[in-house]
Amino acid sequence: MPETQHNHREIIINVENLEHSYGNFKAVDGISFSVKKGEIFSFLGPNGAGKSTAINILITLLAKQKGDATVAGYDVTKDPQKVRESIGIVFQDITLDRDMTVWEILEFHGRLYNMPPEQRRKRIEELLDLVELGAKRNERTKNLSGGMKRRLEIARGLMTRPKVLFLDEPTIGLDPQTRMRMWDYIKGVNNEGTTIFLTTHYMDEADQLSDRISIIDQGKIVISGTSWELKNTLGRDLIYLETNDNNAAIRLLQDLPSVRDVKPKRKGFVLMVNEDGTKVLPVVIDVLRNAGIETLTINLKKPSMDDVFVFYTGKELRDEPSGKIPMRPGGR
Amino acid sequence: MTLGFTTIYWRDMIRFVRFKTLLVSSLLQPALWLAFFGIAMSSSFDTLMAGMPVPPGAHSVGYLTFMGAGIIAMTTLFTSLFGGIVILFDKNWGLMREILASPMNRNHIIFGIGLSGVTKSFIQAVIIMVFGILIGAAFFAGFSPVEIIVGVAGVLAFVGMFALGFLFLSAAIAISMESPEGLQGVTTLLTMPIFFASNALYPIDAFPEILKILSVYNPMTLLITGIRYFVIGPDFIALGKHYQYTQSDILTSYLGLMLFTAFMFGLAWWRFKKAVVT
Ligand SMILES: Nc1ncnc2c1ncn2[C@@H]1O[C@H](COP(=O)(O)OP(=O)(O)OP(=O)(O)O)[C@@H](O)[C@H]1O
Ligand SMILES: [Mg+2]
């Protein structure tokens, strides 16, 4: 199968200057990006960043207002039918009919996508095994646990083998083992040639699963790249310091040649350094001691996805208030 | 893709038989109407009419038989106008997104819902006819077996076309609405004039002129005309009025219903094409 030879030159999703407003609130504010065929591509962003809005436009559920968007070579406005034939989607919210059984949910989906009966039945059995819902096949979905519902939804998204599979926060509400297993399925499907577009606010998910990541915040893409590239933008190492005079310390240290940037924190600050941190650390300690500043805490680490996220969105993990809460359109 | 509507139909029928209360009430309700309203009204009307002369050649039918046809029409109207509610539920529970993001042609959603609504109306119509005969309505009285088959087929043809039209209307309203209360409000607003400005319960001759014109073009009147023709016959007297239908009257009524249904389909199609569901 030559298809599985990832051809990283062919572009399968292309978005240019996409904008979307609800009323006069801009949820998506001029984003541009492209996804290559065979990739796993992630939108990583905090709540309300505009991830689902962008997905809804790409899957043709929301009418495009401004900009250009093509999926699998088809314009989402001019050729919505062709786009729909090329994609699959797992929605962020549970969208299961409470009164249909597990089997019926999958059967219905297969029929919606016009899968031939034999292929449909075979795929259903495969997927029921995969998500371990075989024993629940005749259970109505309202009697499933939250995680089981999620697994069923993922199974449903995998029924067809679309060119592009959109996963809007697919592993939300799953236990750690199940999440890992889902990642494996997703990678498996990807290996069979399906391009994956993922949104998440789990750093580890974006980090481990995706080939490329765009961090999106308040409707704008703040940075894109491989996880390695993103981490590298923060320098080779991060040194966290708490001193008895942080302001003075920052002033002294920011001029060191190996220090790329300084990021103040609540009780201390972080130095982003271009060189091996273990080499820089003694220099830093010397400078502080010579200036008579007392060092209280030192910590050296490699930049993680969390650091990247916090750096570019200004938001601490789990969306602690940052003073940049987006305005919501009136009333509701 | 051409059989996509059977998928929608299949799912809607699953839900129909699974919601036991909905199933039972939709089967019981028309029978109850016929039983209580029909028997109560017919005893008083029939006493009133007892002394009236019957012209030679025409046969007179009791009020129960007369309004039984109206009850079939009324049930079809209520069931169909309300039938779009499933679309609203799908929309509000996020289920519609799966369907709208799929490659299935959106016309098939309309057709699928229409077809399952027609099925429900057929079941109800048959129940009313059977139950009506049991409690003494003179449906198909004096018909030969072949005529009975033709009669039942004729009733179902009229009921089916009418039901489709109102299901399309209901679907169009539902896809454009936010809440079930909204749909309920609009359907209640519509049922009243459609039902009462028709010949369901009484002849329209006594209506004021404007109302009479409205009634003549009311799809409900067209439906009831068809039903009476097929269950009672082309020539009968009820409530002291002589009814005579020719075959071309019936054909015209049916064509009228077809026109109505085609128009409603256009409306639904337009609304669905523009549907945005998030
Ligand atoms: N139908 C709507 N009407 C008005 N505002 C909306 C609507 N849908 C989304 N928004 C607003 O648009 C912004 C982006 O929402 P969106 O759902 O795209 O965010 P998200 O990145 O998917 O967030 P989350 O991680 O919480 O799912 C939010 O501020 C939200 O309040
Ligand atoms: Mg979202």
Side-chain angles (χ1 to χ4, degrees):
Chain A
M1 274 204 285
E3 279 290 303
T4 49
Q5 289 286 329
H6 289 187
N7 178 350
H8 276 286
R9 254 144 291 155
E10 200 178 326
I11 285 177
I12 196 154
I13 301 178
N14 193 44
V15 171
E16 267 160 44
N17 302 318
L18 189 67
E19 279 186 25
H20 193 91
S21 305
Y22 298 105
N24 49 23
F25 169 72
K26 247 187 204 160
V28 172
D29 191 0
I31 57 173
S32 303
F33 64 94
S34 57
V35 179
K36 294 167 197 156
K37 193 171 171 202
E39 265 192 320
I40 300 184
F41 179 90
S42 294
F43 259 5
L44 177 62
N47 291 136
K51 304 182 294 294
S52 298
T53 303
I55 280 204
N56 281 334
I57 297 169
L58 293 178
I59 64 175
T60 75
L61 284 191
L62 206 55
K64 190 188 69 185
Q65 295 173 343
K66 230 172 167 186
D68 284 309
T70 60
V71 176
Y74 301 108
D75 188 290
V76 294
T77 315
K78 291 191 204 111
D79 252 335
Q81 185 63 26
K82 291 279 184 203
V83 171
R84 289 179 202 133
E85 283 166 19
S86 317
I87 61 169
I89 165 93
V90 173
F91 293 101
Q92 178 175 355
D93 323 300
I94 299 286
T95 57
L96 298 173
D97 191 324
R98 293 165 44 81
D99 288 286
M100 283 168 86
T101 66
V102 168
W103 184 85
E104 284 164 353
I105 291 284
L106 298 176
E107 169 75 5
F108 177 69
H109 193 77
R111 288 173 70 161
L112 269 187
Y113 282 77
N114 212 24
M115 288 171 77
E118 240 164 72
Q119 190 194 4
R120 202 162 69 208
R121 303 282 148 84
K122 213 177 117 225
R123 187 67 50 76
I124 290 177
E125 295 312 314
E126 269 173 40
L127 286 170
L128 286 178
D129 278 352
L130 213 59
V131 298
E132 300 181 337
L133 285 175
K136 299 275 182 186
R137 69 172 62 230
N138 293 322
E139 195 72 63
R140 297 199 200 170
T141 64
K142 65 178 167 198
N143 300 330
L144 299 179
S145 77
M148 290 174 181
K149 285 182 194 155
R150 201 64 197 149
R151 267 144 55 191
L152 177 57
E153 294 220 306
I154 294 179
R156 183 173 69 181
L158 304 181
M159 272 291 285
T160 57
R161 288 284 187 270
K163 287 197 189 123
V164 187
L165 182 58
F166 291 88
L167 303 170
D168 198 355
E169 308 198 11
T171 62
I172 210 159
L174 295 182
D175 61 50
Q177 296 100 305
T178 315
R179 280 182 71 209
M180 306 268 191
R181 230 182 21 248
M182 289 303 153
W183 292 353
D184 286 341
Y185 304 156
I186 292 169
K187 280 183 193 154
V189 171
N190 177 247
N191 280 336
E192 285 178 35
T194 294
T195 306
I196 311 263
F197 186 111
L198 181 91
T199 81
T200 183
H201 40 223
Y202 293 121
M203 316 296 152
D204 51 346
E205 188 159 284
D207 197 359
Q208 305 215 4
L209 213 49
S210 16
D211 297 309
R212 284 191 313 129
I213 301 168
S214 280
I215 295 184
I216 177 167
D217 188 25
Q218 298 186 18
K220 289 195 164 84
I221 290 179
V222 280
I223 190 161
S224 302
T226 64
S227 104
W228 187 81
E229 285 167 347
L230 295 188
K231 288 174 193 165
N232 253 3
T233 61
L234 298 196
R236 264 183 77 176
D237 281 316
L238 299 177
I239 299 172
Y240 177 73
L241 283 160
E242 285 175 22
T243 65
N244 63 353
D245 188 351
N246 287 331
N247 290 339
I250 290 173
R251 247 176 286 122
L252 284 170
L253 294 172
Q254 66 193 0
D255 294 331
L256 287 180
S258 56
V259 172
R260 167 189 294 214
D261 206 348
V262 184
K263 189 99 180 151
K265 292 277 170 181
R266 204 149 39 89
K267 283 160 76 185
F269 56 93
V270 177
L271 302 178
M272 302 173 197
V273 296
N274 291 327
E275 290 162 32
D276 184 350
T278 53
K279 302 263 157 51
V280 181
L281 208 48
V283 181
V284 168
I285 292 170
D286 273 354
V287 169
L288 291 179
R289 187 178 298 135
N290 292 342
I293 297 171
E294 194 188 337
T295 308
L296 306 172
T297 301
I298 300 183
N299 184 17
L300 170 69
K301 64 170 194 157
K302 295 266 168 216
S304 67
M305 214 53 214
D306 296 29
D307 299 317
V308 176
F309 187 78
V310 171
F311 181 75
Y312 286 106
T313 67
K315 290 189 173 67
E316 296 290 340
L317 273 177
R318 284 184 287 278
D319 294 292
E320 285 170 17
S322 65
K324 287 204 291 178
I325 297 167
M327 292 274 292
R328 270 155 211 268
R332 286 168 41 115
Chain B
M1 265 308 92
T2 49
L3 292 179
F5 67 91
T6 59
T7 303
I8 303 289
Y9 178 72
W10 170 68
R11 169 160 174 264
D12 206 46
M13 288 323 279
I14 287 181
R15 291 196 293 195
F16 180 56
V17 294
R18 213 156 269 175
F19 286 127
K20 289 285 179 288
T21 43
L22 202 68
L23 180 69
V24 172
S25 72
S26 72
L27 300 184
L28 221 53
Q29 180 228 11
L32 287 179
W33 257 90
L34 196 61
F36 290 104
F37 193 65
I39 292 173
M41 294 292 276
S42 65
S43 53
S44 47
F45 271 112
D46 288 345
T47 344
L48 276 174
M49 299 296 159
M52 305 220 359
V54 177
H59 76 290
S60 173
V61 297
Y63 186 67
L64 184 64
T65 312
F66 178 79
M67 68 92 72
I71 296 287
I72 295 178
M74 181 196 77
T75 309
T76 309
L77 175 70
F78 286 179
T79 303
S80 307
L81 254 186
F82 206 59
I85 194 100
V86 292
I87 288 176
L88 202 64
F89 285 147
D90 278 358
K91 208 173 94 167
N92 287 355
W93 293 340
L95 308 179
M96 191 53 100
R97 292 196 292 174
E98 179 196 5
I99 302 171
L100 290 185
S102 83
M104 173 181 299
N105 189 316
R106 292 184 179 185
N107 286 343
H108 286 284
I109 306 172
I110 309 175
F111 276 127
I113 294 291
L115 204 62
S116 77
V118 168
T119 307
K120 292 170 204 169
S121 289
F122 278 2
I123 297 171
Q124 290 181 322
V126 170
I127 287 179
I128 299 170
M129 286 189 277
V130 171
F131 186 70
I133 291 171
L134 286 181
I135 63 169
F139 295 154
F140 311 116
F143 282 34
S144 72
V146 176
E147 282 170 330
I148 291 178
I149 292 171
V150 172
V152 172
V155 170
L156 295 186
F158 266 83
V159 165
M161 187 53 67
F162 177 89
L164 264 188
F166 277 97
L167 281 159
F168 291 158
L169 174 61
S170 179
I173 299 171
I175 196 78
S176 321
M177 286 263 163
E178 292 290 329
S179 70
E181 291 80 14
L183 179 71
Q184 225 152 26
V186 174
T187 50
T188 313
L189 216 63
L190 282 173
T191 36
M192 286 299 167
I194 292 172
F195 182 55
F196 288 107
S198 81
N199 56 356
L201 301 178
Y202 29 68
I204 48 185
D205 302 24
F207 286 4
E209 201 56 37
I210 303 173
L211 205 56
K212 208 192 282 184
I213 294 169
L214 279 179
S215 318
V216 170
Y217 293 103
N218 186 347
M220 186 82 173
T221 300
L222 302 179
L223 169 66
I224 293 169
T225 302
I227 296 176
R228 293 213 171 111
Y229 175 83
F230 284 109
V231 299
I232 305 175
D235 194 342
F236 61 91
I237 289 171
L239 294 179
K241 188 184 171 325
H242 195 174
Y243 287 86
Q244 280 171 305
Y245 301 126
T246 63
Q247 287 189 347
S248 80
D249 286 342
I250 298 309
L251 199 65
T252 314
S253 295
Y254 199 72
L255 288 176
L257 282 182
M258 282 172 79
L259 197 69
F260 168 74
T261 301
F263 185 70
M264 289 304 146
F265 177 76
L267 185 70
W269 179 71
W270 171 62
R271 293 310 308 167
F272 268 75
K273 213 171 49 168
K274 294 183 47 163
V276 163
V277 172
T278 54

